[in-house]
Amino acid sequence: MRKMFLLALFVIGLAGSIEGAKSRPNILFVFTDDQAPWALGLSGHPHAQTPNMDRLFKAGAWLKKAYTVTPVCSPSRAALMTSRYGTELGITDWIRPGQEDYLGLDKSLPTWPKLLKEAGYKTGLVGKWHLGVLEKHYPTQFGFDYFMGFRTGGNRVTNPSLEEVGDEVKKYPGYTYDVPTEYALKFIRKHQQGPFMLALHYRAPHAAWMPQPESDRRPFDKLDPTIPNPDYPDLNTAWVKRITREYLGSVKGVDRNLGQVLDLLDELKLADNTAVIFSSDHGYTMGHNGIWHKGNGHWIVNNPPPATPNIPRGQRPNMYDNSIFVPTGVRWPGKIKPGTVVDKPFSNLDWFPTILAMAGVEVPKGTLIRGRNALPLMQGKKIKWSDDAYGEYSTHHQSVTHMRMWRTKRWKLVRDFMNPNRSELFDLMKDPAESKNVLNSKRPEVRKAVKDLDAKILTRMKQINDPVLKMVSKKK
């Protein structure tokens, strides 16, 4: 009798678990590479053609102040997966294949894909990984049932070298932003009974941008693009215009592929029970402040400043808003109202708890994460949420820096502890383009801002046990 009773309890519990899994939303996380916050039609850019991104953002929440804590590929992606800063993980710059193959995520770290998998989700990653090339760094070690893509950071624009889980690396015919879409569509069709979580990581619009399909390239072939600051001293305007055309074509290609994925969700009648997230690993500059690229920027002037001991000629490491901000939107029918705009800072550290909250999966007790659940913000609820943002970037490839940033609504302080003469303070209210460094101003309000922000930077560095603190202590 007792055995029958226990069996009945087990069956009831199992049925409840299955029913709970079915009620959970599918999660589609679309992640681009090097997409600027301005590279979005919705943002008002005069030339960006992104109708699918625009309709996605309008159909849910547009997170206008979404940013990455480190504006370069690997540490940004590590923060996304673990809700921990790159300095905590030993990943502070992009992982260079062949020279840093020992680097990658520690498989003992908790990740949100692992927790979703344990909760009954079918999980997949299609596209770029860039968090280690060894088997111990393979995506399936971090909660992905399925992987199709590439482990390194780079690939060809056409006929990329990719691998599907269980198979060898080989060339796949087609454009690098088209091929992953094909496999993403297959994954969705296969797991349409749900719940599934698919991370679709495009490499575009990362350079190189050419060649492109004619449909993506043609609208920009003869474009004379508006550039952000044509009067910047010695700006190589012709170069800026050429790469702007190429970049916008690549963005259009990503948008076209996004449209295919959204259309499939509609076709399979999955859209209403699928939370679609769109974001990027970091932003991009295109002539802004006289540079192009991201946090490890390059001058785009005719005669770059001379080299300094840690900064080669032509390099311009930075934490500008255009490098740290990312275009981000979340569509979740019935849960997030269309037309919602979130004007509070949201970092890539926050995805871990936010996605688990969407799935109804708890963060295990004792799990150390740095992010916060932002779902209430997206749902229009009034909760306590700071207007401040913290970032870090220790470059060690083209340049050697230890940049730490604190940003408020008005001020942004960037300290370079390796090169103190590069430290900057911007008054964002008066100078949103970050064109004038006022760090050495004697105005009382400036001195107070420097003191307050310095204290906040050092407090955060202590909280995460930033190894650069040792350098700071020695200099004192």
Side-chain angles (χ1 to χ4, degrees):
M1 195 74 177
R2 177 177 171 78
K3 288 182 178 179
M4 290 180 66
F5 176 71
L6 292 174
L7 179 61
L9 285 179
F10 173 77
V11 171
I12 292 170
L14 181 61
S17 298
I18 294 171
E19 188 60 36
K22 285 183 178 179
S23 67
R24 286 175 172 157
N26 303 311
I27 297 170
L28 172 63
F29 194 108
V30 181
F31 204 50
T32 60
D33 193 344
D34 285 20
Q35 187 168 354
W38 49 262
L40 186 71
L42 191 60
S43 72
H45 192 280
H47 311 303
Q49 296 189 18
T50 57
N52 295 298
M53 296 176 199
D54 294 351
R55 72 176 167 112
L56 176 67
F57 283 35
K58 289 176 183 177
W62 180 14
L63 283 68
K64 295 189 75 170
K65 288 187 177 177
Y67 74 100
T68 177
V69 292
T70 304
V72 78
C73 297
S74 299
S76 174
R77 292 161 189 270
L80 163 66
M81 286 290 133
T82 66
S83 194
R84 303 285 294 277
Y85 291 95
T87 49
E88 298 180 274
L89 306 171
I91 301 173
T92 64
D93 207 342
W94 59 280
I95 297 173
R96 187 190 291 268
Q99 296 183 19
E100 296 179 316
D101 288 351
Y102 57 90
L103 272 181
L105 277 188
D106 184 335
K107 64 182 180 181
S108 67
L109 287 165
T111 65
W112 53 268
K114 276 184 188 177
L115 296 172
L116 290 181
K117 179 179 178 179
E118 291 170 4
Y121 274 78
K122 296 298 182 182
T123 58
L125 168 63
V126 175
K128 176 174 172 176
W129 178 233
H130 208 180
L131 287 174
V133 297
L134 303 181
E135 293 305 309
K136 65 180 180 179
H137 303 140
Y138 198 70
T140 54
Q141 301 280 2
F142 300 92
F144 294 104
D145 295 309
Y146 174 76
F147 171 61
M148 194 285 174
F150 55 104
R151 307 186 207 186
T152 60
N155 220 312
R156 296 169 55 88
V157 181
T158 58
N159 306 326
S161 295
L162 307 170
E163 60 181 302
E164 193 170 15
V165 66
D167 199 1
E168 61 184 12
V169 176
K170 57 188 176 184
K171 287 187 178 181
Y172 285 75
Y175 289 90
T176 303
Y177 47 40
D178 291 342
V179 176
T181 301
E182 176 187 343
Y183 285 84
L185 298 178
K186 288 180 180 178
F187 180 91
I188 293 171
R189 288 187 185 278
K190 181 177 180 180
H191 300 291
Q192 59 185 287
Q193 297 304 314
F196 67 78
M197 186 286 292
L198 174 63
L200 175 53
H201 291 193
Y202 291 106
R203 188 173 186 258
H206 192 295
W209 303 295
M210 302 301 286
Q212 295 170 2
E214 186 180 358
S215 62
D216 299 336
R217 188 198 72 242
R218 190 191 312 118
F220 308 103
D221 269 349
K222 297 180 180 179
L223 176 70
D224 183 16
T226 301
I227 58 177
N229 50 351
D231 297 326
Y232 191 89
D234 202 33
L235 187 72
N236 190 327
T237 304
W239 187 5
V240 174
K241 289 186 176 184
R242 176 180 62 79
I243 62 176
T244 297
R245 287 191 289 269
E246 295 175 359
Y247 182 83
L248 291 173
S250 186
V251 171
K252 187 177 188 301
V254 173
D255 186 82
R256 172 174 54 77
N257 279 278
L258 173 65
Q260 292 182 49
V261 181
L262 297 179
D263 288 348
L264 180 63
L265 294 179
D266 290 338
E267 175 192 324
L268 299 178
K269 302 189 186 316
L270 296 175
D272 286 345
N273 193 41
T274 301
V276 181
I277 299 167
F278 184 97
S279 193
S280 191
D281 58 351
H282 44 72
Y284 213 73
T285 55
M286 192 66 76
H288 307 80
N289 304 99
I291 63 174
W292 70 286
H293 218 50
K294 46 213 172 200
N296 50 356
H298 310 302
W299 286 107
I300 194 163
V301 295
N302 295 304
N303 295 288
T308 57
N310 292 314
I311 315 292
R313 187 170 186 265
Q315 302 298 309
R316 207 319 185 171
N318 70 91
M319 298 285 281
Y320 287 129
D321 276 2
N322 280 309
S323 293
I324 64 169
F325 280 14
V326 288
T328 300
V330 181
R331 185 188 79 179
W332 191 11
K335 301 293 184 179
I336 298 175
K337 290 182 180 178
T340 298
V341 175
V342 177
D343 203 32
K344 294 284 188 180
F346 173 93
S347 85
N348 51 343
L349 298 171
D350 298 324
W351 285 122
F352 191 127
T354 301
I355 290 172
L356 291 188
M358 289 177 169
V361 177
E362 292 187 5
V363 178
K365 289 183 179 179
T367 303
L368 177 58
I369 61 172
R370 302 298 181 183
R372 292 179 60 193
N373 172 21
L375 184 56
L377 284 180
M378 300 180 203
Q379 295 179 325
K381 298 176 183 177
K382 291 185 178 180
I383 62 171
K384 188 177 180 181
W385 196 277
S386 174
D387 282 309
D388 292 7
Y390 175 74
E392 58 169 35
Y393 188 11
S394 290
T395 64
H396 63 252
H397 292 308
Q398 294 98 328
S399 60
V400 182
T401 67
H402 287 308
M403 296 180 286
R404 303 293 182 266
M405 173 207 80
W406 198 280
R407 187 189 193 280
T408 67
K409 273 189 172 181
R410 179 172 182 182
W411 303 101
K412 180 197 278 189
L413 177 64
V414 181
R415 287 292 186 193
D416 184 345
F417 292 104
M418 175 64 76
N419 311 281
N421 61 314
R422 295 188 64 254
S423 295
E424 301 169 301
L425 178 73
F426 300 109
D427 186 340
L428 300 175
M429 293 290 191
K430 298 179 180 178
D431 179 28
E434 301 171 280
S435 59
K436 185 179 181 182
N437 181 5
V438 297
L439 182 64
N440 295 323
S441 170
K442 302 300 182 183
R443 287 186 293 143
E445 61 178 348
V446 172
R447 301 327 308 156
K448 183 179 185 307
V450 172
K451 182 179 178 181
D452 291 347
L453 271 57
D454 266 332
K456 290 181 177 182
I457 287 175
L458 289 174
T459 297
R460 182 59 55 87
M461 292 172 73
K462 290 174 183 175
Q463 288 172 347
I464 64 176
N465 197 25
D466 190 329
V468 173
L469 278 172
K470 295 178 181 178
M471 176 182 295
V472 178
S473 300
K474 286 181 181 179
K475 288 186 178 180
K476 286 184 176 181

